[in-house]
Amino acid sequence: MTGNKAVAYKGPGKVELIDIDYPTFELKDGPGVNPANVGRAVNHGVILKTVATNICGSDQHMVRGRTTAPPDLVLGHEITGEVVEVGRDVEFIKVGDLCSVPFNIACGRCRNCKERKTGICLNVNPDRPGSAYGYVDMGGWVGGQANYVLVPYADWNLLKFPDKDRAMEKILDLAMLSDIFPTGFHGAVSAGVGVGSTVYVAGAGPVGLAAATSAHLLGAAVVIVGDLNEDRLARARSFGCETVDLTKGGPAEQIEQILGVPEVDCGVDAVGFEARGHGHGKDAEEAPATVLNSLMDITAAGGALGIPGLYVTGDPGGIDEAAKKGALSLSLGTGWAKSLSFTTGQCPVMKYNRQLMMAILNDRVNIAKNVNAKAITLEEAPQGYAEFDAGAATKYVLNPNGYLS
C-alpha cells in the first residue's frame, strides 16, 4: 500500500503533518465527515497524485480557530494533480492526465450544476448546498494537502490540461486555477468590471491580488488595492495597481487623491469576516462589517460589489454574540439608497477556469508572479501557515511529490 501524508488542523494555531490512509473509491468516516456521507461509493472518481496544493486564506480562518473545524481535519482545497487511478464509471479522464481541481465539489447532475452554479451543488453535502475539499461543514471530503487525494465526479470536475509538458512549464500559474484566480476573477466580474472601469479591491492577500490581476485582464482603467500590510501593497504596485494604505485612514480620501473623486465604479471585498478597522496601524481592532460598509460608501450609485471574501455562519472567535453567528451590522440602507448590487458566495470555478487556463498558457497573464507564488515541501507546511498568518506577501504552494522545481 502506498503511503500518504497530509497536513491536518490540530487546534487553534496548530497544523501538523500526519499519516492518513491512501484514498479508495469510498468516502470513509473521519474528522468532519457528515454521517450521511460515510460509505458513499465514488466509482465516478479518480485518485490524483498531488502536483501542487496551495495554502489558502480560507484554510487560515480554520487554523486560527475561527470556525467549528474539528481536530485532525485534513486541509487543502486548492489542488492540481496527475491521475494515477480511475474509478469504474469514469469515461473520459485517463491515467496520466494532468488536471486542475475546482475547489467546489459538484455532481454535474443537479439543477444548480446544470445552471452553472457549481458552488452550490445540491448533491455533495448533506448539510447544505455547496462543498469543498478539506473544509469545515462541507460534507467531509478529504483535503488535498497530501500526497494523494480522491476527486469525485471526475469527468465533470476535472479540468484537463491539453499538453502536459507545456503545462508543467507554467505549473505555478496553473496551480492558481483551483481557487484564487477564478475567485478573484469572479469578484471582479460580479462587481461589473469592464473596459475603462475604476476599481477598488479591499485586501491585498492572494485573492485580492488575483482580483486586481483579473480587473486588469477585464480592461479596467485604474485598479486600486487597499490593505494594512505594506509588503502586500508593494506586491500590488509591482504589477501596476494604485494602493491605499489603510493604516493612514479610510479609503475615500486616498481614492480621491488618485482619481479626483472619492468613489469608484466597482468594489471587491477580498477580506471577509476577519476584517479590521482602518486608521489604527497594524494593531487595528477587528470590525467584521467595516469592509462591506466602506465599499458601499465608495462605490458609485448604480454600481456593484463582488464579495469573494469569506463570511461564515459559525465563528467561535467573533467579537460579539451576533458576529459569532455571522450577523453583521451592515448599513444596508446605504446600499439600497445607492441601488448597489451584491454578489456573495463561493466562486463557481468551472464558469471561468478554462478561459483563465488559456490566458495563462498563451502568456496573457502572470498570476503566479503577481501573487508571489512560492513552492515549499509538505514538511514545511506548518512554517508556511505561520508565515502566511503573520502577513507574508507570499502564496505558498505545497509540493508533496517533488513535481515542482
Side-chain angles (χ1 to χ4, degrees):
M1 178 62 71
T2 305
N4 195 19
K5 292 188 178 295
V7 180
Y9 169 69
K10 301 297 284 188
K14 190 174 182 182
V15 299
E16 285 182 6
L17 195 62
I18 64 170
D19 290 302
I20 64 170
D21 290 339
Y22 183 84
T24 65
F25 294 107
E26 178 183 309
L27 193 55
K28 305 285 181 62
D29 197 7
V33 179
N34 189 297
N37 261 352
V38 175
R40 184 170 180 163
V42 192
N43 297 315
H44 43 67
V46 301
I47 295 169
L48 294 183
K49 188 175 184 180
T50 306
V51 171
T53 177
N54 316 334
I55 296 174
C56 180
S58 299
D59 298 320
Q60 202 74 62
H61 292 306
M62 289 189 290
V63 172
R64 290 187 188 122
R66 297 299 298 268
T67 70
T68 54
D72 290 322
L73 181 76
V74 174
L75 300 167
H77 56 271
E78 299 191 12
I79 307 164
T80 308
E82 182 177 15
V83 177
V84 292
E85 292 187 48
V86 298
R88 72 179 186 212
D89 296 336
V90 177
E91 189 172 359
F92 304 112
I93 294 292
K94 307 298 181 187
V95 170
D97 287 348
L98 188 62
C99 303
S100 178
V101 185
F103 80 89
N104 341 89
I105 302 171
C107 73
R109 296 150 163 81
C110 71
R111 172 183 174 178
N112 285 349
C113 283
K114 290 176 180 179
E115 294 177 356
R116 303 181 79 194
K117 301 172 185 173
T118 52
I120 44 173
C121 173
L122 300 173
N123 288 331
V124 286
N125 182 358
D127 279 337
R128 65 180 74 165
S131 190
Y133 303 87
Y135 212 83
V136 60
D137 296 331
M138 288 290 187
W141 301 91
V142 178
Q145 288 177 11
N147 297 112
Y148 298 91
V149 64
L150 172 69
V151 173
Y153 303 103
D155 283 326
W156 169 251
N157 279 308
L158 290 176
L159 174 68
K160 176 185 170 183
F161 300 140
D163 182 299
K164 285 178 72 172
D165 292 338
R166 188 179 176 202
M168 286 305 297
E169 291 173 4
K170 295 180 177 289
I171 194 63
L172 279 182
D173 294 280
L174 295 171
M176 303 305 145
L177 291 174
S178 56
D179 182 354
I180 66 160
F181 196 11
T183 292
F185 194 83
H186 179 60
V189 168
S190 55
V193 178
V195 174
S197 298
T198 57
V199 186
Y200 178 74
V201 179
V207 170
L209 296 174
T213 300
S214 301
H216 283 143
L217 197 58
L218 289 162
V222 184
V223 180
I224 305 168
V225 180
D227 205 292
L228 296 157
N229 181 318
E230 173 51 34
D231 290 341
R232 291 182 170 183
L233 291 174
R235 176 56 49 184
R237 288 192 294 272
S238 75
F239 59 94
C241 299
E242 301 287 344
T243 57
V244 163
D245 183 347
L246 295 171
T247 65
K248 299 177 179 177
E253 55 268 32
Q254 296 183 64
I255 288 170
E256 186 169 20
Q257 291 171 10
I258 296 166
L259 297 177
V261 291
E263 64 180 19
V264 291
D265 301 322
C266 314
V268 180
D269 173 6
V271 178
F273 73 105
E274 288 192 76
R276 291 182 289 158
H278 52 69
H280 305 290
K282 295 187 184 302
D283 298 321
E285 292 184 1
E286 194 164 302
T290 190
V291 169
L292 291 172
N293 285 333
S294 70
L295 283 175
M296 285 189 275
D297 285 337
I298 64 175
T299 302
L305 307 186
I307 309 174
L310 176 69
Y311 290 87
V312 295
T313 55
D315 173 13
I319 60 170
D320 54 36
E321 290 306 309
K324 289 177 182 179
K325 297 182 289 187
L328 309 181
S329 298
L330 290 180
S331 179
L332 193 59
T334 301
W336 191 94
K338 295 176 75 173
S339 295
L340 300 176
S341 358
F342 302 74
T343 301
T344 64
Q346 286 188 36
C347 163
V349 170
M350 270 192 261
K351 191 172 182 179
Y352 310 108
N353 62 352
R354 185 188 175 278
Q355 300 96 301
L356 295 176
M357 175 187 75
M358 295 301 291
I360 289 168
L361 291 175
N362 290 285
D363 299 318
R364 301 298 298 167
V365 67
N366 297 295
I367 183 66
K369 179 182 177 184
N370 290 3
V371 301
N372 195 27
K374 177 184 178 182
I376 61 175
T377 66
L378 208 57
E379 290 73 18
E380 292 173 306
Q383 179 184 348
Y385 269 97
E387 291 176 3
F388 188 42
D389 188 48
T394 304
K395 177 67 174 177
Y396 291 97
V397 180
L398 303 181
N399 180 24
N401 293 304
Y403 284 88
L404 309 180
S405 58

